[in-house]
Structures are given as C-alpha cells and as structure tokens.
Amino acid sequence: MARERVILVDGTALIFRAFFAIPATFRSSAGVPTNATYGFALMFRRILAGKTPKFGAVIFDAPGKTFRDDKYPKYKAQRPPMPSDMRVQIDWIKKVVEAHDFPMMSIPGYEADDVIGTLTREAVEAGHEVQIVSGDKDFAQLVSADVRMLDTMKDVSYDPELVRKKWGVPPEKFVDFLALVGDKADNIPGVPGIGKKTATTLLEKYGDLETVLSSTGELKGKQKENLENHADDARMSKDLATIDVKVPLELNVTELTIPEVDKSKVDALYQELEFFSLLSGDGATERAEDADYRALTADEVDDYFQTLGQDGSTTGVQLLHGLDSSIYGALLGLAFSTAGAKESVARYLPLAGDGALTGAKVRKTVGAWLADPKRKKVTHDLRDVVCILEGAGMTIDGVVGDTRYASYLIDPTGDIPHRLDQIARRFLHRTLIPLKNLIGSGKTVKDITDVELAEVASFAGHLARAIAEAWPVVSAACEERGQTRYLEEVSLPLARVLARMQRIGIGADATIFDALGKEFTERRLTVEKRIHELAGRKFNVGSGKQLGAVLFDELKLPVIKRTKTGYSTAADVLERLAPKHEIATLVVDWRALAKLVNTYTRVLSEAIRPDTGRIHCRVQQTVSASGRLISTDPDLQRTPIRTPDGRRIREAFVAEKGFVMVSADWSQIELRILAHITEDPKLVESFQKGIDVHRRTASEIYDIDPQDVDATQRNVGKTVNFATIYGQGAVALGQSLGMPRSEAKDLIDRYFQVYAGVRDWLDETIAEAHQLGYCETVLGRRRLIPELSSRSPTDIAYGERIAANTPIQGSAADICKLAMLAIDARIQKEKLRSRMLLQIHDELVFEAPPDELDTLVALVRECMEHPLPDDLALDVPLVVDIGHGASWSAAH
C-alpha cells in the first residue's frame, strides 16, 4: 500500500481546549452554550483544509475508570467535574464529527491517548505518516520521523527536534522525563525537588530512568535522598505516563477510511448551530449563474424605474463607490433588488467604468426615483448612502429601513460592526462574495471601473439582493425586540444628521499641528536624553523589555508586577515607582509626548483634506455596545483634554473664516440620570437645588460639614460617585484613589448607606437583568447580556456591571441623539447657516456666523436641556455649559 497520511484527533483534549479558549458568552440565539462546539468545529475544519487524509479517527475518552485508576487511585483525582456548559455540548460535538463522516472511537478501560498510541503504531508499521492532533504534551513520546504532533491552538507541529527544544529531551526519553518531574495536570507525583532542568541534566548524563536510579551513589545531598526515597514513585510515574500502544481494537487503522466531505450536510448542521461564519462556499455563497443579476441598458432605464416599487414593494438599494473615501467617494453605480420576489433578481445601473450610462437623462431618472418618498427603500448604512449620493448631486427619500441599524438594535454586542456579510450569515445563512474576489488585494488591487461590467453587475446585484432578502427577517426580529420605533424615530433620522456632519467636517490648521508635533518631538528627545543619563546607557525607551531590564535588573527598583513575558512597565507600575526614582516619572512623560506626536498631531495633520482644509471623520451608530456614537477615520473623541499639552491640540481645530466655534457640554449628565432612575432623595435634591454633588458625597462619607470639605476630599467624593456608575469594586476604587482595598470598601459601604436608593436600584436592576437577560435605556433600547448566563464568576460579574451601567450610560447616549435630532431640525427649519460639526462624549461642537451666535446658543441650550418628551422627562434638570471662540480650545 502507498504511503498515506493518517490523522488521529484527540477529541477529549480538543473539547477542553476549545471550551476554555472560546468565551462562555458564545451562545446560540436561544441561549444554548456553543463555545466548545464552535472551537472544535473551527479546529476540525482547519485540520481538514487541503487534501482529505486517507485514514483517521477522532478518539474520545470512554466513560468510567481506566487501568491507571486501578494502579493509582489518585490519578487525575484532583480534577474538578466537567462544567455543565461543556457537558451539554458533547452530543453536538459528536454531530460535527458525524457530519464530516469522520470515524469516531472510544475504548472502555483506556484513555484516548492509548487508543491513539495503538493506531499510531499500526500506521507506522504499515508505512504511513501520522499526524496526532492534540495539545497534550504526553504525545511527545510518540513523535518520530513518521509521527508529528499538531497543536492547532498554537499552530505548532512538533517533530523530534522541536520536542527536544521544548522539553529538553528527545521523544524516546520523554516518559523518563515525566517520571522524574511528574505531571500536576494528571496528578502524577514524580520525584520531589526534581525540576525540568535537573531531570534534563540527569537523563543527558545517565541515559534513562533506571540508570539514574541505580547511580544515586554518584549524587549528593537532597537530590540523592529524594531519588532514593522516591524511586518507586518514579517508576510508578513512568508507568502512568507511558501510553499503551497495544490496546485491543475491533478495527485497525486502515479500516478507518475518511470519505470526501459532503459540504451540504456540514452546512445544514452549522446553520442549525448558527455557525454562519463556517458555512462553505458551495450552496452558501450565491453564484451569478444561480441568479438574474445584470446591468441595465439605456433603453431599459425609463421603464425599469417607472415600475420599480410602484406596487408598494420594498427595494434594497446598494451603492458602489470609489475606495478613496466613503465621505466623498465617487458614485460608480447603484444596484436594486425587490424584497419578496421568488426569483433572485437584481439590476445594476452603471454610472462609471465599463458600460457606464452617463447621460443627464439617466441621472435625472434615477435621481427622481431615489427622491420619491412613495417608493419604499431599504439601505445598509444610510449615513454613507446619503453622503455619497449627495456628493453625486442626488438625495434619497422613502427609506423605511436599514439592515445595519436594525441588526445593531436587535443585538448591539453581536456581529459588531454589523457589516452586510455578517448580517447575511446570521439572518440568511449564506455567505457573500468578498470584494477582493472582484478587485483583488494587496499590490494587485484594481479599481472597480477596470472590472468587466458583467462581473460588477453580478457583484453589486447580489449585495442588493442580500439587503432586500434580509430586511423582512431583520425587521421582524427588530419588531419582536420592541426596537422598531427606535429605528424609525432615532436611528434612521440620525443617520442623515451624521451624514451632514460627516460632509461638513471641522476646520483644522495643519501649521498648528505641525508646530505642536515639532515641539513635542523636541521635548521627547530631551526627556529621552535625561532617561538615558539616569540609566547610564542608551536603550529603546519604547521597548517594555528593555525598559524593564533597566528599571529592575540594573537600577534594582522593586518589582511591582510581572507579565507572562517578564516585568510589567504599565502606567500604574510607573506611578508607584515615581516616588522612588525620577526615571519612572520621566518615562511617563516620554510616553505621553510620544502619544501626542504619533496618535494625534501627525495623524490629525494627515487627515486634513487638501480640497476642503477640514477633517471629515465618520460618526458611527453601530460600533459601541453602549449606544455611544463613535468617531473614526480619524477618532476625534480621543482628543486629549486632561493635560495642558493635550488640550493644546484643540487649538488647531479652528472656525471657518466668518464663523465662530461653539461648544456645548452637559454637566454631570450620567449622575443626573442616576438620580432620576434611582429616585434617591438625596441625589435628586442635590441636582434640583444645585448642590455640589461631589462635595455633598464627600461630606456624607467623611461625616463633616460641606464647607469643611477640602479639594482632596471632594475628589474622593467625585471618584466614588462615578465608581457607582461604572460598577467599580473596592480593588478598582482603591487603585484609583491610591488607598488600601479595606479603606476603599469602607468608602463604598458608607456611600450606599448615604444613597440607599442607589443600592436598592442596583440590586433590583441586576436581579431583573439576570431574569430577562438584557437591560434597557430610558428609550427602551435593549442590550443583551449573555455573560449573565455564564458559569464563570468573572463573566457574571462583568455582566452585572453592564446591567448597572447601561441604563445610565446608554440613556445618556439616547438623550444626546435626541438633542442632536432636535437641534438639526431647528437649524434646518430656521434656515440658519450655523452647523453641527462634532459629537464628543457629552459635548456637541458647532460653527456659527457671529450674527447667529445668540440664536444658536439659545436653540442649543433649549434642545440639550429638554431633549426628552414630556412623558419621559427627567425629575432633575439637565444643565449645559456653552462657550464660543475662534477655536475648539477657546470655545470649550
């Protein structure tokens, strides 16, 4: 028989590794845990990539005792029972194996290792090569020129040389090695005091275990004593660690044949498990030959748009645009597909490239259809659609839904950032053709306008069809979750506001950025020079490894914390070292200056568009699980304000000539929301009467008169107030305040004695979240919390923090969105030249001509202080601080 590849999978080991590698939050829509199943499927798919092996099997441990338990009752006795969330997945994992028609084995009285060892021996004797799929080091004893051990988790394939490098001994000495050092995972005792290095040295000198044990006369001290006293333990340990390669099997290895995978059968199982990312291309990816996707001709345009959506049906609309910018990207074409049609039909209108319909009449026709409010349309990310269409001189109306925003509202934490391909996998159970299939990738990428029209039409058409087909499913799920009203009244109209902000951008002065960058760079070099002087040599300050060597090995500073790779040089470590040595403070300064240059001045200067002189960031609705709007490309929300140097960066954001910059910032909005939803009388009173809430908290927890509270105590009060919002425990609060955990816990206890209403609300909210599996904002926007159903205490604690924080932070996000909608509507209605530019945390930034300044300030204050409808109005007032000036810095 010809030499073949034999795959032997340690199924039990893979289950455990997958379970602990994939987060416990990985569950089906019904809440069933699937993390181990998914991890197993992922690894299983990986080992079958490429040519299907001729022979193989997945081997599982059989239930019940093995011969090793009889020899040594303590064998693996320390291991806890299998977690229940893992146990319920065993049957599903075996279904994954069955779907691949892969042989499975388990032999009572033996471990999977022994069955694998026996099959390995048979395969090698028959002249085949073997690949053992497992991360269990015990298999190192089987590795040879014909046998490899594949650790799929670490992507490492062990041959004899790699075994020697990893453990210090070759495969033939590995069992002797384990006999000496033992194995805590399996409760194999070994010899006390014999570690890896000693065992390696002994085996290198004496060859094997028996020779080591018979040569103790040449040894000294405790090593000699331990080897003599525990010789029987060593021999027993070797016996336990040795894989039995002569297990009686009903089938030999050449009878374990592996057929070609039936992808339709695997896809059916993965759809049931909701593993949409693992679906194969066959039967899952829509192909051009299976659908009627083509480009419109000039003669068809009038009739097509006259009838499209005339019957009240909803049309999925997909844009193709240039890759240079999604803000001002050139419109290359549009694809349309009607939901509800039995056939896969879509039409593509090319406006650039091969077969482009460039006539003014065509643009007028499609423009009129897009602007018709009676023709119902569904988009995917309306903000970008509006931006690109407006850049092409078109508008879109009649948008009744958006797959991206609806998917986000159904489950904010799932499938972030809710791309169309993610939605197609989740709701349609199929994959979409990636763009790289059309234009290539890397150095070979080409412009869409260089691709043949038929290919472009097919690609764009299948995207439009995905939008049209996904919408009824997504819409129904959105309705079921009670999110339709939020989608229609907040998400969709807000997309238009964000599109307007995106196209307007904010003025920026590159000369200021460049000057600041030069100054920060020079100061960084000065600080770096001083660091080198204190260290006594030059080194890379940005290298944690080199910095750790200087601080702890050479300067002998106390080691505060270690990582897996060495010393920790994190910010909190440097802060604790600062009183002990000047170098720690300088490193903090160096890092701050480096970040100002690399993350801000340079990036922001490069982000200024030459044609507008402005920065046009994208403000996105579907990225943050809390509901906060997130700015990207570049991220202006991270513009630093806590340090004088950081605040100077805002000086470069300048008003357009003839305008002034206006900044409006809510004061303590999250604490005000906390007061409202908890109805705590003292918190409510503080905000209703304009009492300094941080000073009041400090006076209460320190039991002193408010007038006697000093700045340090007020800061403690402030920190404790916000610790409540973010669910900080005593450890985190103690670190924030630089005090022992016991003192921090005492502060928390006193806080909840003062604000008992907050404690009651937290308890009720967390209990309700455990019961429902989600929490809600003041507008009823939900956030699912799968962590609450986890078996991990860490996951549960995190979920409880989310449950406590989301009604506060999420409600603040909703209030901000309502205010933005109201302000934009007023600006449009009153035909002001003023414009909204940015949303940064609790701040809105505007530009206004001087003659509209008073009008804008009054308008903004009214909308921000009264954003909610009367039936949802807060019991405490919202307060807004508004300033203006020539720059963002001057206005803030």
Side-chain angles (χ1 to χ4, degrees), residues 326 378-385 401-412 414-423 426-427 467 470-471 474-475 478 487 491-492 495 618 620-623 632:
S326 63
V378 174
T379 57
H380 180 78
D381 201 341
L382 179 59
R383 181 209 62 227
D384 272 358
V385 171
D402 187 279
T403 51
R404 186 169 207 159
Y405 305 150
S407 173
Y408 173 81
L409 291 173
I410 292 166
D411 182 5
D415 294 329
I416 289 175
H418 301 269
R419 297 188 311 269
L420 184 56
D421 65 301
Q422 294 172 312
I423 291 168
R426 181 178 179 187
F427 294 99
I467 294 172
W471 175 244
V474 174
S475 176
C478 201
L487 174 69
S491 299
L492 291 177
R618 305 172 68 194
Q620 305 192 57
Q621 298 191 58
T622 63
V623 176
T632 60

Side-chain angles (χ1 to χ4, degrees), residues 306-317:
Q306 184 176 351
T307 59
L308 183 61
Q310 188 179 27
D311 59 356
S313 58
T314 302
T315 302
V317 180

Side-chain angles (χ1 to χ4, degrees), residues 342-509:
K342 294 181 180 179
E343 302 84 10
S344 293
V345 177
R347 293 291 178 263
Y348 177 64
L349 181 70
L351 298 176
D354 184 23
L357 304 180
T358 57
K361 186 174 182 298
V362 170
R363 283 185 171 263
K364 182 178 180 181
T365 300
V366 68
W369 184 89
L370 288 167
D372 188 346
K374 296 179 181 178
R375 306 296 176 101
K376 295 189 290 185
K377 310 164 186 77
V378 174
T379 57
H380 180 78
D381 201 341
L382 179 59
R383 181 209 62 227
D384 272 358
V385 171
V386 170
C387 273
I388 295 163
L389 287 178
E390 288 188 356
M394 301 179 188
T395 59
I396 186 169
D397 203 347
V399 177
V400 298
D402 187 279
T403 51
R404 186 169 207 159
Y405 305 150
S407 173
Y408 173 81
L409 291 173
I410 292 166
D411 182 5
T413 60
D415 294 329
I416 289 175
H418 301 269
R419 297 188 311 269
L420 184 56
D421 65 301
Q422 294 172 312
I423 291 168
R425 287 181 187 276
R426 181 178 179 187
F427 294 99
L428 300 179
H429 299 174
R430 71 167 183 255
T431 58
L432 297 181
I433 301 168
L435 180 61
K436 67 180 180 181
N437 284 19
L438 193 70
I439 63 173
S441 58
K443 295 181 179 179
T444 61
V445 68
K446 56 185 175 182
D447 196 277
I448 293 179
T449 55
D450 296 327
V451 180
E452 290 185 7
L453 178 59
E455 292 184 59
V456 176
S458 179
F459 176 75
H462 101 293
L463 296 180
R465 186 65 188 173
I467 294 172
E469 289 188 347
W471 175 244
V473 185
V474 174
S475 176
C478 201
E479 177 68 28
E480 182 184 353
R481 294 277 169 86
Q483 301 301 300
T484 300
R485 182 177 179 183
Y486 192 99
L487 174 69
E488 294 174 349
E489 296 183 6
V490 180
S491 299
L492 291 177
L494 184 65
R496 297 180 180 277
V497 175
L498 299 180
R500 188 173 295 113
M501 293 166 57
Q502 192 165 304
R503 287 184 59 79
I504 292 170
I506 184 170
D509 190 333

Side-chain angles (χ1 to χ4, degrees), residues 526-542:
T526 300
V527 172
E528 186 174 288
K529 182 178 179 181
R530 177 57 180 159
I531 290 172
H532 290 161
E533 289 174 356
L534 292 171
R537 65 178 179 87
K538 290 185 177 181
F539 68 99
N540 181 0
V541 182

Side-chain angles (χ1 to χ4, degrees), residues 211-317:
T211 306
V212 169
L213 295 177
S214 63
S215 305
T216 54
E218 301 177 18
L219 305 177
K220 296 179 181 180
K222 199 68 175 175
Q223 187 179 96
K224 170 184 168 72
E225 180 184 336
N226 285 339
L227 283 168
E228 290 177 342
N229 291 341
H230 295 276
D232 290 341
D233 287 339
R235 292 187 178 96
M236 180 189 68
S237 296
K238 180 176 180 177
D239 196 21
L240 293 173
T242 300
I243 292 175
D244 187 345
V245 297
K246 295 185 178 180
V247 176
L249 303 177
E250 294 183 1
L251 298 174
N252 65 47
V253 70
T254 56
E255 293 176 293
L256 301 173
T257 57
I258 303 173
E260 287 292 329
V261 175
D262 182 347
K263 293 182 179 179
S264 63
K265 187 160 63 172
V266 176
D267 281 344
L269 176 63
Y270 285 172
Q271 286 181 2
E272 185 178 0
L273 286 165
E274 300 176 11
F275 294 169
F276 304 129
S277 63
L278 298 184
L279 293 176
S280 70
D282 296 346
T285 301
E286 198 167 17
R287 295 171 293 181
E289 59 265 31
D290 300 328
D292 180 9
Y293 301 154
R294 64 175 179 81
L296 290 166
T297 65
D299 294 338
E300 295 175 316
V301 170
D302 285 346
D303 288 343
Y304 181 73
F305 286 108
Q306 184 176 351
T307 59
L308 183 61
Q310 188 179 27
D311 59 356
S313 58
T314 302
T315 302
V317 180

